[in-house]
Amino acid sequence: MTPLRVLYVASECAPLLKVGGLADVAAALPGALAGLGVDVRVLIPRIAGMPAGDAEIWSGDDCRLTEIRTDTGVPTWLLDTPRFRHRSALYADRDGRPYADDAECAAQFCRVAIAVAGGFLGLDWRPDVVHCNEWQTALVPLLLLEARIPAASVLTIHNLAHQGVFPLEMGERLGLPRWALQPQAAEYWGQLSFLKAGLVFADRLTTVSPGYAAEILTPAFGAGLDGVLHDRAQALTGILNGLDDAVWDPGHDPLIETHYDAARLQGKRAARRVLLEALGWSDDDAPLAAMIGRIAPQKGTDIVLEALPRLVAMGLRLVLLGSGDPDLERPWRVAAERYPGRVAVRTGFDEALAHRIYAGSDLLLMPSCFEPCGLAQMIAMRYGTLPVVNPVGGLADTVVDAGAGDGGGVGGDGFWMTSADPVGLVEACGRALAMRADPPRWSRLVRRAMRRRFDWKASAARHLEVYHAALATRAPPLDSPPARQPRASAPAGIAPQFADSHA
Ligand code: ADP
């Protein structure tokens, strides 16, 4: 039997190009799918500083596709175009400003995916399913329909906050058909929404945890798209991300100096010493909390800043590794100056330091106001660093609250905030510190957290079910428009174009 062929399209894929959790998913999920016998290829953009690839598989005008094999063995295709080539970082320039040609760039990326799916590049491989991720790839389902390409489409929402909204005129500039710019399609309050186009036209939708799948149907978490999602609720599945054990394993991690596992915790104490030394701090047994991630309102960094005086007064030390808008980074630098020896701040992206921090800390703070899945808390648990979380989305799905007081900690592996504010954070940290003061109980919690497994194999098996469901319910070509397809004038199939219409 021919294996199912899946083109996995994403704007990041670790270790080649990583900004956040999407990169980890785009590396691990295709690998796990390949392990289940799926013939999967990954398509990502190539920005400045990335490797050129091992072999060229297609070239045209000033664009080319090269193939590179990553550790997972999955063929990864890099799209090299002038627009991407000029980017030194993926989503924003060095000053944190979004790029002016974001829409053009994403549309071009989508059109190349369409060209692969339609067999227009002369490659000897065409997918049965195109799996898109986030708004940057969300025009693909619409363009597949327009070009009458029989592949089914799946769109994964990793974060509904990022929607790719542009002036409606941009739709015409990008050569989108008129029917696509209607309210039943990609039009969103007088603008063009890439994500909405994907939500409307993809055969199946997934998101990265069951909790978030339920939350985004509500106005509180739906980011203005809960109505659209409601209409497609039958097509939406929440599948928890896994954790790549090959990368995140304190027993073998090449980026940490001392190795350990749940049965041998001495290495974690040594990892703590290494981390404290790297921060220039002495080891006085003060509890050490960490934050690793984007400095952004979503991540609740403002909640931590507000709670900081009380957390420090409780004896907690805090290390933050993150990057974000310079305006959001600034108060953290001020905090580090205000609390020398208690608060350390490292900005920028530093994979090696991230591993050291996961290994050397006691707690990981994740007071996110929403969290589609969250990888940092899963990584932290694997490294015996207990997460303190606002129990929303994937955080509620992955962290079990250790409770409080006598008998507390039975069955738990982290701490839930009782409210999504500084008071809730201080309360949860207070419970954590009380339990840490009881070393045998603390070790039990740490061991339990380390033994939790977030399995990519199970996640890949669920994705496979979704692919088959997408194939079974695939929207018919435009000659007989599907029910959710606006019936307005749909043009005949248009050959994909890579050049921008107005470039
Ligand atoms: P996001 O919402 O950004 O995807 P996740 O928790 O799902 O957040 O994933 C974040 C991933 O990126 C984790 O693997 C985390 O360790 C990593 N990460 C985030 N910021 C940094 C940084 N500044 N340096 C190193 N790794 C980082």
Side-chain angles (χ1 to χ4, degrees):
M1 211 175 73
T2 349
L4 185 75
R5 284 157 306 188
V6 175
L7 179 65
Y8 191 90
V9 193
S11 42
E12 309 173 32
C13 180
L16 295 164
L17 179 54
K18 174 165 170 172
V19 179
L22 171 61
D24 299 87
V25 177
L29 176 59
L33 286 165
L36 297 180
V38 178
D39 179 3
V40 57
R41 318 282 158 114
V42 175
L43 175 65
I44 59 168
R46 173 172 179 261
I47 65 166
M50 283 172 66
D54 303 327
E56 183 174 285
I57 57 169
W58 171 82
S59 72
D61 296 335
D62 203 8
C63 307
R64 58 188 210 130
L65 272 183
T66 57
E67 180 173 308
I68 191 167
R69 293 258 170 177
T70 57
D71 287 349
T72 58
V74 172
T76 301
W77 293 344
L78 308 178
L79 173 63
D80 187 7
T81 72
R83 287 193 186 279
F84 282 121
R85 213 175 295 148
H86 288 127
R87 293 188 170 199
S88 53
L90 185 57
Y91 298 126
D93 65 19
R94 289 200 192 288
D95 299 320
R97 282 187 304 251
Y99 294 103
D101 66 348
D102 258 351
E104 291 90 340
C105 227
Q108 188 178 48
F109 188 40
C110 291
R111 289 206 184 270
V112 171
I114 294 299
V116 172
F120 306 134
L121 300 187
L123 307 177
D124 58 0
W125 186 93
R126 286 173 73 166
D128 303 302
V129 177
V130 184
H131 185 160
C132 321
N133 295 274
E134 299 291 66
W135 74 263
Q136 288 86 356
T137 61
L139 290 185
V140 166
L142 181 165
L143 296 174
L144 282 175
L145 285 173
E146 186 203 26
R148 301 177 189 190
I149 295 167
S153 60
V154 173
L155 171 68
T156 296
I157 306 157
H158 295 260
N159 191 332
L160 202 54
H162 308 305
Q163 302 185 354
V165 175
F166 302 94
L168 198 57
E169 305 77 69
M170 179 58 80
E172 281 165 34
R173 283 195 57 192
L174 298 176
L176 297 183
R178 282 247 164 88
W179 55 261
L181 303 175
Q182 307 296 321
Q184 316 91 304
E187 190 268 357
Y188 179 72
W189 297 104
Q191 296 192 286
L192 163 69
S193 165
F194 275 49
L195 186 63
K196 186 181 167 211
L199 298 182
V200 171
F201 292 110
D203 294 306
R204 304 294 294 192
L205 303 171
T206 72
T207 188
V208 289
S209 70
Y212 193 59
E215 285 172 355
I216 57 179
L217 301 180
T218 67
F221 290 91
L225 289 170
D226 42 295
V228 179
L229 283 160
H230 234 282
D231 290 346
R232 304 252 22 235
Q234 296 305 318
L236 172 66
T237 313
I239 306 175
L240 197 64
N241 281 336
L243 188 63
D244 191 346
D245 269 342
V247 178
W248 302 107
D249 174 7
H252 298 96
D253 187 339
L255 295 177
I256 60 175
E257 285 75 6
T258 55
H259 296 124
Y260 58 97
D261 56 36
R264 296 171 297 138
L265 282 177
Q266 300 89 323
K268 183 158 175 70
R269 279 187 282 280
R272 170 192 169 82
R273 282 195 295 275
V274 171
L275 173 60
L276 289 172
E277 211 177 290
L279 298 175
W281 289 351
S282 58
D283 190 357
D284 59 2
D285 197 44
L288 181 59
M291 282 193 89
I292 300 177
R294 292 176 289 117
I295 303 179
Q298 178 204 337
K299 298 291 178 183
T301 42
D302 49 338
I303 293 181
V304 183
L305 271 178
E306 216 179 310
L308 211 48
R310 292 189 57 196
L311 296 177
V312 170
M314 284 157 64
L316 205 65
R317 298 208 279 201
L318 178 74
V319 51
L320 170 111
L321 168 63
S323 54
D325 195 303
D327 286 342
L328 297 174
E329 286 183 2
R330 206 165 299 119
W332 280 99
R333 288 189 221 285
V334 173
E337 278 165 26
R338 183 157 171 215
Y339 300 107
R342 312 308 293 175
V343 176
V345 174
R346 299 287 183 272
T347 50
F349 195 90
D350 189 336
E351 190 75 43
L353 181 59
H355 285 241
R356 277 184 175 179
I357 294 176
Y358 284 121
S361 306
D362 299 301
L363 296 172
L364 180 91
L365 308 187
M366 269 183 98
S368 312
C369 50
F370 68 93
E371 194 58 76
C373 177
L375 278 180
Q377 84 282 11
M378 296 197 249
I379 300 170
M381 282 191 258
R382 189 79 182 83
Y383 282 69
T385 295
L386 302 186
V388 177
V389 303
N390 181 29
V392 285
L395 295 175
D397 286 343
T398 52
V399 177
V400 181
D401 185 50
D406 288 345
V410 179
D413 47 33
F415 302 90
W416 283 19
M417 292 159 59
T418 42
S419 54
D421 53 25
V423 175
L425 180 65
V426 169
E427 187 276 333
C429 287
R431 277 191 292 127
L433 297 198
M435 287 199 202
R436 187 176 177 274
D438 179 350
R441 182 199 277 183
W442 187 256
S443 296
R444 276 200 301 279
L445 282 177
V446 167
R447 289 201 170 90
R448 192 175 306 119
M450 290 184 72
R451 290 192 173 117
R452 290 285 305 277
R453 284 294 175 271
F454 302 101
D455 191 3
W456 266 121
K457 218 167 152 189
S459 175
R462 302 254 3 244
H463 280 90
L464 205 47
E465 287 167 18
V466 169
Y467 296 153
H468 286 297
L471 284 165
T473 57
R474 178 171 47 194
L478 280 181
D479 318 35
S480 49
R484 63 176 185 276
Q485 175 85 35
R487 285 177 181 270
S489 57
I494 294 172
Q497 54 203 35
F498 309 117
D500 311 300
S501 343
H502 289 247

